[in-house]
Amino acid sequence: MAETKQEASSQPLHVLVFPWLAFGHMIPFLELSKRLARRGHAVTFVSTPRNAARLAAVPPELSARVRVVTLDLPEVEGLPDGAESTADVPPEKVELLKKAFDGLAAPFAGLVEEACASGGGAAGFSTKPDWIIQDFAQNWVWPIAEEHEIPCAIFLILPVAIMAFIGTRHENEAHPRTTAEDYMVQPPWIPFPSTIAYRRHEAEAIAAAFRPNASGVSDIDRFWQMQRPCCRLIVHRSCPEVEPRLFPLLTELFAKPFVPAGLLLPDDAVDDDGPGSDQSFLAVLQWLDAQPRRSVIYVALGSEAPVTADHIRQLALGLELSGVRFLWALRRPVGHAGALLPDGFEARVAGRGVVRAGWVPQVRVLAHGAVGAFLTHCGWGSTVESLLRFGHPLVMLPFVADQGLITRAMAARGVGVEVPRNDDDGSFRGDDVAATVRRVMAEEEGEALARNAKELQKVLGDRVRQEQYVDELVEYLQRYK
């Protein structure tokens, strides 16, 4: 007897989840996987061996429903040995990582074929996958999914604004962008005022994403493959409260549903395990405990922003000149072996500034009462974590991709201030860092920024509503499978 529509919509799903090889992608994909598992669905999480080993463990109560399957990344000439994520390579070698990633097409096809032939296959589940939820980069998944009649969804860990800026292939052909200036204005297919445009130095970088790289295909062409019929949903780590008007606009523009998954904040607000949770971080926590409430600015530019040695020197100069207390999670640029900080810097800021070169438990730091603001590259994950969970105003220093768009949007909301940059080459001066830090931490303007940040936190920090977005996503998965 055929099952009814209602019975089909209540059946547990088996979802194959496959993120791009960057921790800023893998971590939200894992958060989404855990939320699906908590709702009774089975998840096969696909990555490479080293990345799987470095990700946080799946909670024991979910281990029966979340299985991690690894595929060996093929060797590519020029890619360092053992490099399996963007955190392992300098920015100029990320395109080689994409080339290696494309080499996973055949083993992934084998995994899917086995899963379809034996129910759950190597993943250990008893059912054929109902969905493949993939990232932007796998333009080679579509024929595999079509062969086995498995619908796909794209899960983008980026804000919806980036897709609004990119637009469809048709819109780009109708409104070609051929100069840097074309990327510095709002696209004509956005019919209302917005902050969706890039500065000159950012525009030149985003224009490069429209050109083929060492993998033989451009990043934007990878995005545009989502317009194929077997891609039925585009899911974003976002929600209408933080990006009003864009979800319905893009649903109409791309002629398929753009669905919010919510912000997917981890359940535990203060405890993140890792090497920074050991005794080596104890002295830093003790120093934080001794500082006045909301007097410290936390400084972290993410694990993958293309930060140079000169950026670090100017940032050090700015923190020194600001006179503000700070905790700096300093990441050495990949491949840089020389001195980074100016001579005598740590001695001159001793007592009011701490530089931590090792891993930092960021959530724990942001939750600390001594922290009053965040100097950030405005990656979406860090922005969500600091502003929307803890209500910290931002000092914003964007570098790539969506970070400039996020920075403009947060400035328009009155929750942060951008460090001035040279518009041609993106360089910045220590003096401007110092002045921006003081604006947020030590001047009257900072009080207004802090109030606005707390108000936005109240709106976006509704855990019940955030979980409802996941429930609604599951309804879409049931309806469109």
Side-chain angles (χ1 to χ4, degrees):
M1 181 183 297
E3 62 184 359
T4 67
K5 186 175 181 180
Q6 183 176 2
E7 287 171 337
S9 67
S10 63
Q11 292 293 322
L13 298 168
H14 176 196
V15 182
L16 208 61
V17 172
F18 193 8
W20 160 239
L21 306 178
F23 284 95
H25 292 238
M26 290 182 277
I27 292 169
F29 267 75
L30 187 58
E31 282 299 322
L32 177 61
S33 299
K34 290 190 287 188
R35 279 167 167 75
L36 293 175
R38 288 192 184 101
R39 288 160 171 80
H41 305 291
V43 178
T44 300
F45 186 95
V46 183
S47 192
T48 61
R50 188 165 181 236
N51 288 329
R54 290 184 288 184
L55 283 169
V58 175
E61 68 273 15
L62 300 179
S63 60
R65 289 196 291 272
V66 179
R67 306 291 181 87
V68 178
V69 175
T70 61
L71 302 175
D72 291 329
L73 195 69
E75 293 183 5
V76 166
E77 185 177 354
L79 194 65
D81 291 342
E84 294 187 8
S85 83
T86 55
D88 301 326
V89 297
E92 64 272 14
K93 289 188 180 290
V94 170
E95 58 189 68
L96 293 177
L97 191 66
K98 290 192 175 90
K99 186 176 181 180
F101 192 56
D102 291 344
L104 292 178
F108 182 75
L111 173 69
V112 173
E113 183 173 2
E114 183 182 352
C116 292
S118 58
F125 294 118
S126 59
T127 59
K128 169 186 172 180
D130 295 292
W131 282 89
I132 297 172
I133 298 182
Q134 66 180 78
D135 216 325
F136 80 97
Q138 298 100 309
N139 58 320
W140 36 265
V141 162
W142 308 113
I144 299 170
E146 288 166 353
E147 178 185 353
H148 295 284
E149 299 182 334
I150 302 173
C152 291
I154 291 277
F155 176 43
L156 296 176
I157 57 88
L158 308 169
V160 192
I162 189 72
M163 288 309 301
F165 182 85
I166 291 172
T168 64
R169 189 188 297 275
H170 171 76
E171 291 292 348
N172 278 267
E173 289 171 351
H175 307 280
R177 293 182 276 200
T178 58
T179 68
E181 286 76 13
D182 293 330
Y183 296 90
M184 295 168 61
V185 296
Q186 175 176 306
W189 50 82
I190 300 177
F192 44 79
S194 78
T195 58
I196 301 175
Y198 285 96
R199 304 211 189 283
R200 179 174 295 278
H201 67 275
E202 298 167 338
E204 291 170 353
I206 202 73
F210 283 76
R211 299 190 290 269
N213 55 46
S215 69
V217 63
S218 75
D219 286 346
I220 302 305
D221 273 323
R222 292 177 188 269
F223 275 104
W224 281 336
Q225 289 294 317
M226 68 179 63
Q227 295 180 246
R228 292 175 68 128
C230 74
C231 178
R232 299 187 186 174
L233 303 172
I234 294 104
V235 183
H236 277 269
R237 184 193 186 186
S238 186
C239 59
E241 291 91 342
V242 71
E243 296 189 274
R245 306 178 75 176
L246 290 180
F247 281 95
L249 170 67
L250 289 171
T251 294
E252 180 179 356
L253 197 64
F254 282 80
K256 60 184 66 187
F258 271 68
V259 181
L263 301 172
L264 299 176
L265 293 170
D267 288 338
D268 194 331
V270 296
D271 186 26
D272 40 0
D273 295 327
S277 61
D278 62 16
Q279 291 299 311
S280 70
F281 196 71
L282 184 60
V284 178
L285 286 175
Q286 290 172 339
W287 177 83
L288 273 177
D289 290 341
Q291 307 311 308
R293 181 169 175 77
R294 301 188 63 81
S295 66
V296 175
I297 185 166
Y298 174 55
V299 182
L301 299 179
S303 60
E304 293 153 20
V307 178
T308 66
D310 185 62
H311 291 146
I312 290 174
R313 284 190 289 271
Q314 292 301 320
L315 188 52
L317 176 61
L319 292 171
E320 182 175 351
L321 291 174
S322 74
V324 170
R325 294 177 175 87
F326 66 88
L327 168 57
W328 184 1
L330 175 61
R331 179 179 61 86
R332 179 175 290 276
V334 175
H336 183 86
L340 280 176
L341 298 172
D343 289 343
F345 169 77
E346 290 186 85
R348 292 192 299 273
V349 299
R352 73 168 177 89
V354 172
V355 179
R356 166 74 175 182
W359 187 87
V360 171
Q362 181 160 294
V363 175
R364 187 179 305 175
V365 170
L366 290 169
H368 198 285
V371 173
F374 185 24
L375 195 161
T376 173
H377 62 307
C378 270
W380 191 229
S382 290
T383 303
V384 164
E385 202 164 67
S386 62
L387 177 66
L388 308 183
R389 174 185 279 178
F390 300 113
H392 292 314
L394 308 174
V395 173
M396 302 181 290
L397 193 61
F399 285 89
V400 294
D402 57 331
Q403 295 165 13
L405 300 183
I406 295 167
T407 295
R408 307 300 110 72
M410 295 302 107
R413 284 182 172 265
V415 296
V417 180
E418 184 175 359
V419 175
R421 307 281 277 266
N422 180 304
D423 212 28
D424 290 325
D425 63 11
S427 62
F428 58 90
R429 300 181 309 133
D431 288 349
D432 290 323
V433 173
T436 310
V437 168
R438 284 195 295 266
R439 284 177 64 183
V440 174
M441 289 293 292
E443 297 177 8
E444 187 174 338
E445 180 182 4
E447 297 178 6
L449 292 166
R451 285 195 299 272
N452 293 341
K454 285 295 185 185
E455 286 302 314
L456 187 57
Q457 179 199 17
K458 290 177 185 176
V459 173
L460 300 172
D462 182 342
R463 288 290 181 128
V464 173
R465 182 66 190 110
Q466 291 297 317
E467 290 300 316
Q468 284 176 351
Y469 283 123
V470 182
D471 293 335
E472 291 163 9
L473 169 60
V474 170
E475 291 175 6
Y476 272 98
L477 293 173
Q478 295 281 17
R479 192 185 322 156
Y480 283 83
K481 70 178 182 181

